């Protein structure tokens, strides 16, 4: 009588990201293509990790690499600040083909890290707002005031057609959120606010009529996948300014600035749909490569098979 065989243990992979909207979205999309391995979110998990995929957390990536764990590092919103990459086994840059730009030696440009293409619901129920200010400190009153004004403009735009706000995804540190909401105005107490750690925005976009967002590559990908018109808010910090310039130059997407002369949220929103339709057709015609998440997952598998 033969003895029962024991199934081989599943390979363990650390999946970690900075607590920001773009980083968390990139990690979700990559993790969806790693169903054959056991994913853990604990950096010090045991038994020993076979590999790690780390989105934007360069400190964690460097620490894991120094301890002998092969790391796939993903820069989700563009090159790391200062162009300084951690000492990881593989470096991947999320950069859609339509955005252009030069290649970096030693870095895999993986294309668009995108959510699955989602069919838009028949009845669009309202707007989703995404405000990203991940480094906001409540004591920086000027920055809080700017972020509050951006959120106020976004909320005004989201309500232009009388439909409710489905959600406000607030990509900000927990200690700064109450100050930001206070700076946005008294009426924000009724906003359906969630943090990036609480919800995958793509689920909401299937029923959205509009996405009003900080200038993020993720926002362009989300709107394109869900076929939702997109309005971009003004940049709130230097990295966003650089990203906004690249996005608007490449795609010509409308920017919502309620403080600008002769500009209203209503007019900006009504121009978003035809502008976005033109951009979507251009992206489709260009055959935009949306397999970035699969490419990153493939790099993880290769490290598991031959880490060095």
């Amino acid at each position: 009588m033969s003895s029962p065989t024991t199934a081989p243990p599943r390979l363990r992979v650390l999946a970690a990201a900075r607590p920001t909207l773009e980083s968390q979205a990139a990690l979700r999309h990559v993790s969806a293509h790693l169903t054959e391995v056991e994913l853990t979110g604990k950096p010090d998990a045991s038994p020993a990790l076979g590999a790690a995929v780390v989105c934007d957390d360069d400190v964690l990536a460097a620490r894991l690499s120094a301890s002998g764990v092969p790391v796939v590092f993903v820069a989700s919103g563009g090159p790391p600040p200062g162009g300084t990459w951690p000492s990881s086994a593989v470096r991947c840059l999320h950069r859609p083909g339509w955005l252009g730009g030069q290649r970096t030696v030693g870095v895999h440009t993986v294309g668009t890290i995108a959510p699955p293409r989602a069919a838009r619901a028949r009845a669009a129920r309202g707007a989703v707002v995404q405000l990203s200010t991940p480094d906001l400190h409540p004591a920086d009153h000027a920055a809080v005031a700017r972020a509050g004004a951006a959120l106020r403009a976004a909320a005004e735009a989201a309500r232009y057609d009388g439909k409710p706000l489905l959600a406000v995804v607030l990509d900000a540190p927990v200690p700064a959120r109450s100050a930001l909401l206070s700076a946005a105005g008294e009426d924000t107490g009724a906003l359906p606010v969630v943090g990036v750690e609480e919800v995958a925005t793509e689920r909401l976009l299937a029923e959205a009529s509009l996405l009003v967002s900080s200038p993020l590559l993720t926002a362009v990908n989300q709107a394109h996948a869900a076929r939702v018109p997109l309005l971009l808010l003004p940049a709130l910090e230097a990295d966003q300014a650089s990203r906004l310039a690249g996005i608007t130059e490449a795609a010509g997407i409308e920017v919502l600035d309620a403080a600008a002369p002769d500009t209203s949220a209503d007019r900006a929103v009504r121009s978003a749909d035809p502008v976005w339709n033109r951009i979507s057709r251009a992206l489709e015609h260009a055959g935009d490569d949306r397999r970035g998440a699969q490419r990153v997952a493939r790099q993880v598998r290769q490290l598991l098979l031959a880490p060095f």
Side-chain angles (χ1 to χ4, degrees):
M1 184 174 178
S2 60
S3 59
T5 58
T6 302
R10 298 184 74 192
L11 296 170
R12 293 173 63 84
V13 172
L14 172 68
R18 289 186 66 210
T20 64
L21 194 153
E22 285 199 300
S23 301
Q24 294 290 327
L27 185 65
R28 284 197 306 272
H29 304 327
V30 172
S31 297
H33 297 281
L34 291 171
T35 55
E36 77 280 12
V37 303
E38 181 180 350
L39 296 176
T40 178
K42 299 179 180 179
D44 299 315
S46 60
L49 297 167
V53 54
V54 179
C55 295
D56 299 307
D57 191 336
D58 53 345
V59 174
L60 175 60
R63 179 164 67 83
L64 290 168
S65 295
S67 67
V69 177
V71 176
V72 175
F73 178 80
V74 182
S76 67
T84 303
W85 293 81
S87 55
S88 51
V90 179
R91 301 164 182 172
C92 295
L93 173 63
H94 171 208
R95 188 172 64 210
W98 57 264
L99 194 58
Q102 297 181 344
R103 291 186 174 273
T104 303
V105 176
V107 175
H108 298 266
T109 300
V110 297
T112 300
I113 298 178
R117 291 183 180 272
R120 187 172 175 182
R122 291 184 178 180
R125 298 195 298 116
V128 172
V129 168
Q130 292 182 154
L131 184 73
S132 180
T133 177
D135 299 319
L136 185 66
H137 194 282
D140 189 342
H141 302 298
V144 169
R146 287 195 301 272
L151 180 56
R152 189 165 54 248
E156 178 187 354
R159 295 193 183 102
Y160 85 102
D161 59 358
K163 293 180 180 178
L165 262 171
L166 297 184
V168 175
V169 181
L170 208 52
D171 183 13
V174 174
R177 290 178 189 176
S178 59
L180 196 163
L181 291 171
S182 177
E186 296 180 0
D187 61 338
T188 58
L191 291 179
V193 175
V194 295
V196 295
E197 71 280 0
E198 299 173 57
V199 65
T201 311
E202 291 87 349
R203 292 199 297 265
L204 296 166
L205 287 174
E207 297 182 343
S209 54
L210 176 71
L211 174 60
V212 185
S213 177
S214 295
L216 308 172
L217 288 180
T218 293
V220 180
N221 298 337
Q222 289 169 329
H224 189 210
R227 314 263 182 213
V228 177
L230 174 67
L231 275 178
L232 293 180
L233 295 165
L236 292 175
E237 34 91 350
D239 285 344
Q240 285 188 11
S242 174
R243 201 170 310 164
L244 180 61
I247 292 173
T248 54
E249 181 179 352
I253 298 171
E254 184 85 11
V255 177
L256 170 64
D257 187 354
D262 302 322
T263 297
S264 69
D266 179 79
R267 190 182 75 180
V269 169
R270 294 186 186 283
S271 71
D273 205 358
V275 168
W276 184 248
N277 285 339
R278 291 198 300 270
I279 299 305
S280 293
R281 286 196 297 270
L283 293 179
E284 294 290 350
H285 181 72
D288 188 40
D289 187 353
R290 303 175 63 80
R291 293 175 293 176
Q294 292 96 312
R295 289 195 175 95
V296 175
R298 188 180 306 129
Q299 295 289 346
V300 175
R301 293 190 193 95
Q302 289 176 352
L303 282 186
L304 289 170
L305 292 173
F308 300 105

